[in-house]
Amino acid sequence: MPTPLSEIIATERLALRPLTDSSTFDRSVTWVHNSDLNDPTPFVSEGQLLLTTGRQFVDTADPTAEPVAEPAAEADFVGYVARLVSAGVAAIGFGTEVITHGVPAGLVDACATAELPLFEVPYRIPFIAISRLVADNEAEQTRAGFDRALAAQNDIARAAVGKGRLSSAAISAAEHLDCRVWIFDADGELVNEPHRDSHTRRSLDAAPDIRQSVTDLLGRARRARVADDAADEHRVVQTLGSTGRLCGAIAWARDTEFGALDRSVMTVLAALAEVSLEQTENLRVGHRAILEQLFQLLKDGRVDSVRRAVRVAGIELPADRFAVAALDLSETSASVRDVLERRAARSDSRIFAVADGRHLLVLIDAKQLAAERRFFAASDLTVGLSAEVGWPELTVAITQAVRSLEASPPATVTEFASLVGESFFGLLASSSVADIAHARLASVIESAEGIGLLRFAQVWLRHNGQWDPAARELGIHRHGLKSRMQRLSELTNLSLDTFQGRAELWAMLAAIDLGETGS
């Protein structure tokens, strides 16, 4: 930790006398070395203060001789100073009355020309006093640095358990380190409030190249910490979580490099962020069963009660108008489900994602519908999307979404409006037909026998009521299929021998989701 040269000169007990212009003393010293070699450069490093008695400049073989008034005529002060400057020496302290009387004028001139600070060290001042001053200053700065780092760590920890939690902890770390901090979830989305400029109070979002670094590191699914320096600032990006199960990333940026004590503070915030994000992930997965139960209450019309309940999990239901997106749960990867649930849990989101039987349903507020359409398309997901509805039409929207999914080609978003426009089949999911179908088939749907008969009927009607091909697909004898359809006719009070009866059964089966009914 450097010591300002001006502080060393200003220490009264050392009685040091500057011999070059005061402007040359505007620099710092990293350490102190003393040498009387004509070329000490192999033993010094950049930023050091070199102390010398000038023995290299006199012509005497007797080290006990009295000090001489003048150095040897051939002394090369210019070359000596040039060597020190090239080695990065910060300054020269010349001890007088040991070898020479005073400081050689040639050395003063050479230092002044090279703008290398030079000062006189009186005979009564030992060189060790200067070394000790620098060492004590470094020790004091080290202790102060540790104290600051410890205070920062404590403040960050307290902020993490306070009201603002992770965002407050990030703000505390940014203030202590005078830097900018961004915390991202596993999808590369910010989870803390964007840093604010201390002068303008303007929000400073993460730069695009920082976001790209985060995206790249998360895509590799491995623990990593990289320096991603730009032209005018130093950056560090670090993933959070274990390899294969990353829960997010954290990025830091400021104008100066981060030191060892800075990194200790950064480690504390990274650890707290990792614990917080992993806890959030565990809670999200743990809430799934509860959300599924709450979804049943939504279907029963208890919207306000559910809205209050899900807020505990940080979820906001859509407002008055929304659409339902349906995905096949068996064909949806765990990572896609995780992404959809995390999108629903964001503070600025009004999305509700929940498993319902064989489908993953996503209720999307009308204002976010365009963005979610783009997300589905960009992710190559197979999605059925209902029309915009209000809460009283939730069950209708679910049926529309499922029907649209059934008609959707792979990696395509199919909207119910387009389905209706292309085929009369889509109209069968309208509220009146669906409600009538559920009411008419209620007694049949209640039993496992009835569900089985309806599924046999689906196959039979798909074969246009032809017994042999339908029986072959079902793996039964055609007489067995006939007896089953006779039983279904009795249960539904429909004459399946007539076109009207068969058409009515087909319309009801098309209007309801038989798979959901039997789950």
Side-chain angles (χ1 to χ4, degrees):
M1 296 184 179
T3 300
L5 186 56
S6 59
E7 289 186 12
I8 299 175
I9 298 299
T11 304
E12 293 184 4
R13 60 186 172 82
L14 298 179
L16 305 176
R17 185 167 67 92
L19 299 175
T20 54
D21 189 87
S22 60
S23 63
T24 62
F25 288 86
D26 187 18
R27 61 184 67 183
S28 295
V29 172
T30 58
W31 197 240
V32 180
H33 180 73
N34 59 285
S35 173
D36 287 342
L37 293 175
N38 188 47
D39 183 11
T41 55
F43 310 103
V44 297
S45 59
E46 186 174 356
Q48 286 188 346
L49 165 62
L50 178 66
L51 302 177
T52 182
T53 62
R55 185 181 301 277
Q56 65 272 38
F57 302 129
V58 301
D59 185 11
T60 177
D62 183 3
T64 65
E66 291 294 322
V68 297
E70 295 293 337
E74 66 273 13
D76 181 12
F77 295 111
V78 173
Y80 176 77
V81 170
R83 287 190 290 275
L84 298 184
V85 171
S86 66
V89 168
I92 300 176
F94 195 97
T96 57
E97 310 310 318
V98 179
I99 302 298
T100 67
H101 293 302
V103 180
L107 180 61
V108 176
D109 293 339
C111 287
T113 301
E115 297 185 343
L116 179 66
L118 173 66
F119 59 87
E120 178 185 350
V121 183
Y123 179 79
R124 65 182 178 82
I125 301 298
F127 284 172
I128 190 64
I130 301 175
S131 298
R132 184 173 297 160
L133 173 67
V134 173
D136 289 346
N137 179 73
E138 179 172 342
E140 183 180 350
Q141 289 191 57
T142 300
R143 285 194 299 272
F146 277 118
D147 290 342
R148 288 193 299 271
L150 183 59
Q153 293 169 9
N154 289 336
D155 287 349
I156 292 169
R158 282 195 295 268
V161 298
K163 184 177 181 180
R165 296 189 178 274
L166 193 54
S167 288
S168 294
I171 292 171
S172 179
E175 291 175 348
H176 277 284
L177 298 181
D178 190 22
C179 68
R180 295 162 295 284
V181 182
W182 300 275
I183 301 174
F184 303 85
D185 65 14
D187 306 320
E189 295 293 332
L190 275 175
V191 297
N192 67 309
E193 292 294 330
H195 174 77
R196 290 183 177 273
D197 185 272
S198 59
H199 301 292
T200 64
R201 310 307 299 169
R202 179 175 58 89
S203 292
L204 301 176
D205 199 355
D209 45 352
I210 290 181
R211 284 184 172 274
Q212 188 59 51
S213 295
V214 169
T215 300
D216 292 343
L217 289 179
L218 291 175
R220 298 171 193 169
R222 297 195 302 271
R223 286 187 69 91
R225 180 188 178 100
V226 300
D228 185 26
D229 291 346
D232 56 348
E233 67 179 358
H234 298 274
R235 300 170 176 173
V236 175
V237 180
Q238 174 183 345
T239 59
L240 304 174
S242 58
T243 295
R245 293 186 57 192
L246 297 181
C247 59
I250 187 169
W252 313 76
R254 76 178 185 188
D255 299 336
T256 57
E257 290 190 38
F258 295 98
L261 292 178
D262 295 331
R263 289 192 289 274
S264 72
V265 176
M266 295 160 71
T267 299
V268 169
L269 180 60
L272 290 171
E274 185 169 307
V275 170
S276 176
L277 291 173
E278 287 183 342
Q279 182 184 36
T280 299
E281 285 293 280
N282 292 336
L283 285 174
R284 176 182 57 77
V285 175
H287 285 157
R288 283 176 175 171
I290 298 174
L291 295 181
E292 290 174 11
Q293 296 301 315
L294 291 174
F295 187 59
Q296 300 308 313
L297 297 181
L298 276 182
K299 290 181 177 179
D300 293 339
R302 299 174 63 178
V303 179
D304 291 338
S305 298
V306 175
R307 192 183 298 279
R308 289 191 297 270
V310 297
R311 280 176 180 159
V312 177
I315 298 172
E316 281 291 339
L317 289 180
D320 296 332
R321 302 292 295 176
F322 62 93
V324 177
L327 296 84
D328 191 314
L329 198 55
S330 64
E331 297 179 2
T332 301
S333 67
S335 60
V336 169
R337 181 176 181 180
D338 289 340
V339 170
L340 290 171
E341 290 177 347
R342 281 194 293 267
R343 292 173 74 86
R346 289 177 189 141
S347 59
D348 59 347
S349 174
R350 281 186 171 272
I351 298 174
F352 185 76
V354 64
D356 188 46
R358 295 185 297 109
H359 300 106
L360 177 63
L361 301 180
V362 186
L363 280 59
I364 309 167
D365 189 273
K367 294 181 179 179
Q368 294 180 238
L369 196 50
E372 294 308 303
R373 281 197 195 97
R374 290 192 294 269
F375 170 76
F376 293 146
S379 303
D380 293 329
L381 300 179
T382 305
V383 179
L385 192 62
S386 76
E388 288 186 22
V389 298
W391 285 107
E393 294 81 40
L394 173 60
T395 57
V396 175
I398 294 172
T399 303
Q400 291 179 355
V402 171
R403 290 287 175 264
S404 301
L405 175 64
E406 292 170 350
S408 183
T412 302
V413 179
T414 299
E415 299 186 27
F416 183 72
S418 64
L419 185 65
V420 171
E422 295 172 1
S423 170
F424 177 79
F425 177 77
L427 293 175
L428 296 176
S430 65
S431 59
S432 58
V433 176
D435 291 344
I436 293 172
H438 277 285
R440 285 288 307 276
L441 298 177
S443 60
V444 181
I445 293 172
E446 288 177 354
S447 66
E449 178 200 12
I451 291 293
L453 293 174
L454 291 174
R455 287 174 177 158
F456 277 112
Q458 280 183 321
V459 176
W460 177 55
L461 292 172
R462 191 170 65 247
H463 286 284
N464 299 318
Q466 297 183 48
W467 301 107
D468 289 336
R472 281 195 297 270
E473 180 177 335
L474 293 169
I476 61 176
H477 194 274
R478 61 189 181 91
H479 292 304
L481 179 58
K482 285 183 177 181
S483 65
R484 286 177 172 83
M485 292 303 96
Q486 179 60 39
R487 173 61 177 158
L488 181 60
S489 177
E490 296 170 356
L491 292 175
T492 58
N493 196 29
L494 289 172
S495 176
L496 299 183
D497 292 332
T498 65
F499 172 79
Q500 181 177 342
R502 295 180 184 182
E504 188 173 342
L505 178 60
W506 173 84
M508 288 190 291
L509 290 175
I512 64 174
D513 187 345
L514 194 57
E516 292 292 321
T517 303
S519 60

